[in-house]
Amino acid sequence: MRTKEELAFQRCIRPACAATFSVSETLTACPKCGDLLDINYDWNRQQVPSSLKDFEKKYATRRNPLHYSGVWRFKELLNFAPDEAVLSIGEGQTLLRREADVAQYVGLDAKDVFLQYEGLNPSGSFKDNGMTAAFTHARMVGARMAACASTGNTSASLAAFAAATRALGLDNPLEAIVFVGSGRIAMGKLAQSLDYGARTLQILGRFDDAMRRVQEVAKARGIYIMNSVNPFRLEGQKAIMYRLLEALNWEVPDWIICPGGNLGNSSAFGKAFSELHCLGLVSRLPRLAVINAAGADTLNRVYNDYSVRWNEGAINSKGIETHYAKLDAEGTQAHTVATAIEINRPVNLHKCLRALECLNGMVLSASDQEILDAKAIVGRGGIGCEPASAASIAGLKKLVERKIIGKGERVACVITGHQLKAPEVTVGYHSPSGDLKKKLADEHDVQRTPNANAPIQVENDLDAILKALG
Ligand SMILES: *Cc1c(COP(=O)(O)O)cnc(C)c1O
Ligand SMILES: [Zn+2]
């Protein structure tokens, strides 16, 4: 139970329930009604700075790991843990950058398009922002084993943090167990989980199967769950928005665009802005666009086809049930080249609907072709990303084409994962022929590669090389 003294507590997101629980409990759903949980704060008793600019002061004391971390230097906005419990591996040293090639590609001015590059995190994806918060909570409750189901990046991040509990010589190291779907994980990500020493179970099934199993196993064995049903993860992911604002000198952009998989990120972004607004730390809100892959587009379907809305917490959920019943009846599996968002049953759906309501949101889907064409443009700018991240750009292009986003609007796209996560896809796209290219055409219907930078085959001969250079 929650005690009145607690400055932070867990609360059911369903307003009609609103049950509260202590942060010392480990929960992934409301025990009363089964809906998701939030972390809430007694803001009157939290020491929140009066201006976001005050957070910049922490740069002066960066030797303190809590101030070095791109998550914990905003601790006053996610203050659920004592400082001693915090586990940081240097997450959140990320970058917001203007991208002229991307701007031109989507049809906006170069000055208005920004990429928030989360591939710079220690494990190469935004997941580290959330994992640091979840591991901190796991340490608060004395967990010894941490598990997740993953399309790859959650497991890479979990494995890295668990390894750090040993490497840093902590009293209570955590053991990592990860569940991945068979054959559906990008090489770079599987490599990380193996290399960092996580016990890696490849389930004969898809992500949605692995997700169900990990919850059963966690219950049977008392293992701490690190998926984004864990409300503490999303508290860390709020910091992506804090850093983005900081890079824009605390000016709120007109649009935030991100890919949608399990919908943790979009949910966290909505919560971040809603809290900042309530606290009077921002004076306006951005709009949010969440981009699904066409082959894994539950959010797009329920939001656009069935008009499912948060409705201040009274979700008209019939459309969700109808959609899931249809997927089951037709035996439809999620299928996209953007494996990080190859998810048909997004666990944070309700929270994402809330975020869309708060931020006047839009939902779109992009085909694998559109995603990879956009990905090649991101790569051209020297940043590069994995396929799922490029959904942000493919979505932005469509929003401009449909005149939903117009010239002069400032847009920040979240680039969620590093380019080297899925090299097989990148090489396939750029190659003129070969197995990897064929795989994209056969399995993902990516028939054209208009933005390819094909390697040039040349004889090992000076004249031939000079000729090839033109
Ligand atoms: C996890 C992940 C996503 C999806 O984020 P959600 O919060 O699950 O919607 C998108 N891109 C990358 C690279 C990811 O690792
Ligand atoms: Zn409840």
Side-chain angles (χ1 to χ4, degrees):
M1 272 314 285
R2 178 196 169 204
T3 62
K4 282 265 181 307
E5 295 78 61
E6 283 193 300
L7 299 183
F9 54 94
Q10 308 190 63
R11 180 159 69 185
C12 176
I13 67 165
R14 184 175 299 193
C17 174
T20 60
F21 308 92
S22 165
V23 290
S24 62
E25 293 185 63
T26 303
L27 300 165
T28 52
C30 172
K32 295 226 165 85
C33 76
D35 214 324
L36 297 161
L37 295 167
D38 261 340
I39 309 306
N40 277 200
Y41 303 91
D42 184 345
W43 292 116
N44 291 325
R45 291 191 297 145
Q46 294 276 7
Q47 309 277 314
V48 181
S50 56
S51 155
L52 284 171
K53 219 173 165 46
D54 290 353
F55 284 107
E56 294 173 18
K57 290 182 191 145
K58 294 192 181 164
Y59 274 125
T61 47
R62 277 164 75 82
R63 257 198 304 275
N64 175 348
L66 267 80
H67 294 185
Y68 180 81
S69 166
V71 172
W72 296 106
R73 66 191 167 84
F74 300 100
K75 187 160 187 269
E76 290 84 350
L77 297 170
L78 59 143
N79 199 12
F80 63 81
D83 285 1
E84 317 80 75
V86 170
L87 177 65
S88 169
I89 61 169
E91 60 288 331
Q93 310 303 317
T94 63
L95 177 76
L96 183 82
R97 208 175 85 170
R98 277 211 178 92
E99 280 297 320
D101 282 331
V102 170
Q104 191 189 18
Y105 182 67
V106 301
L108 292 177
D109 291 338
K111 68 175 185 9
D112 295 325
V113 178
F114 297 86
L115 304 191
Q116 172 70 22
Y117 184 44
E118 290 298 313
L120 288 175
N121 275 291
S123 83
S125 85
F126 78 80
K127 298 293 198 299
D128 294 343
N129 290 282
M131 209 52 76
T132 185
F135 265 80
T136 295
H137 181 250
R139 279 162 48 73
M140 280 169 68
V141 300
R144 302 307 301 266
M145 267 193 255
C148 70
S150 180
T151 62
N153 280 334
T154 302
S155 51
S157 183
L158 188 161
F161 274 89
T165 64
R166 296 190 300 272
L168 298 173
L170 301 183
D171 287 342
N172 295 309
L174 275 101
E175 192 192 337
I177 305 168
V178 309
F179 289 62
V180 297
S182 230
R184 310 299 306 174
I185 178 170
M187 257 324 170
K189 304 176 189 182
L190 180 60
Q192 287 179 290
S193 157
L194 299 175
D195 214 26
Y196 301 154
R199 259 206 273 174
T200 306
L201 276 70
Q202 288 189 291
I203 312 260
L204 291 171
R206 302 293 182 98
F207 172 81
D208 294 307
D209 303 309
M211 187 69 229
R212 206 168 308 142
R213 291 297 180 206
V214 79
Q215 285 174 308
E216 290 167 5
V217 172
K219 207 164 164 195
R221 290 280 180 87
I223 300 171
Y224 190 93
I225 292 223
M226 292 288 178
N227 279 99
S228 54
V229 284
N230 178 329
F232 294 93
R233 270 238 346 240
L234 303 197
E235 290 308 291
Q237 287 169 217
K238 293 190 303 190
I240 300 168
M241 291 299 108
Y242 306 150
R243 297 196 301 271
L244 188 156
L245 285 177
E246 182 181 50
L248 292 172
N249 199 20
W250 309 110
E251 278 177 39
V252 178
D254 296 300
W255 285 88
I256 304 288
I257 307 190
C258 69
N262 244 339
L263 306 179
N265 238 2
S266 43
S267 299
F269 299 169
K271 188 169 188 283
F273 276 106
S274 143
E275 289 172 349
L276 290 180
H277 200 245
C278 283
L279 289 165
L281 292 170
V282 295
S283 54
R284 58 188 283 261
L285 295 169
R287 292 191 69 184
L288 172 70
V290 184
I291 317 301
N292 273 160
D297 69 339
T298 289
L299 179 67
N300 176 42
R301 287 294 153 98
V302 303
Y303 196 76
N304 293 321
D305 295 357
Y306 296 104
S307 300
V308 174
R309 293 293 184 274
W310 170 249
N311 280 329
E312 295 179 358
I315 298 174
N316 49 328
S317 54
K318 193 135 192 301
I320 303 175
E321 290 150 28
T322 310
H323 179 69
Y324 284 158
K326 203 161 148 237
L327 289 180
D328 285 342
E330 293 168 2
T332 309
Q333 302 264 28
H335 185 75
T336 167
V337 73
T339 51
I341 51 174
E342 191 177 56
I343 295 171
N344 261 348
R345 290 175 188 269
V347 296
N348 288 298
L349 181 56
H350 290 178
K351 281 186 179 176
C352 179
L353 291 169
R354 182 178 64 177
L356 289 164
E357 180 166 294
C358 174
L359 300 182
N360 188 13
M362 290 280 310
V363 180
L364 255 64
S365 73
S367 69
D368 285 0
Q369 178 78 56
E370 291 164 333
I371 287 172
L372 291 193
D373 289 346
K375 177 177 132 40
I377 304 297
V378 178
R380 212 176 269 177
I383 276 182
C385 64
E386 65 169 281
S389 315
S392 300
I393 310 302
L396 171 56
K397 188 171 174 12
K398 289 182 151 178
L399 288 163
V400 174
E401 278 162 9
R402 293 181 195 174
K403 301 197 169 20
I404 294 161
I405 296 183
K407 280 227 190 279
E409 291 196 84
R410 268 183 143 191
V411 184
C413 298
V414 182
I415 298 298
T416 47
H418 200 281
Q419 181 203 35
L420 297 177
K421 292 280 190 174
E424 62 281 0
V425 175
T426 308
V427 174
Y429 187 90
H430 290 294
S431 300
S433 59
D435 287 350
L436 294 174
K437 174 133 198 154
K438 192 165 176 312
K439 192 164 180 234
L440 292 182
D442 295 351
E443 286 180 25
H444 298 291
D445 204 25
V446 175
Q447 307 296 346
R448 294 167 290 116
T449 51
N451 304 329
N453 172 32
I456 303 159
Q457 302 283 344
V458 60
E459 297 276 324
N460 183 13
D461 172 82
L462 181 59
D463 284 343
I465 292 169
L466 291 173
K467 192 158 166 245
L469 285 174

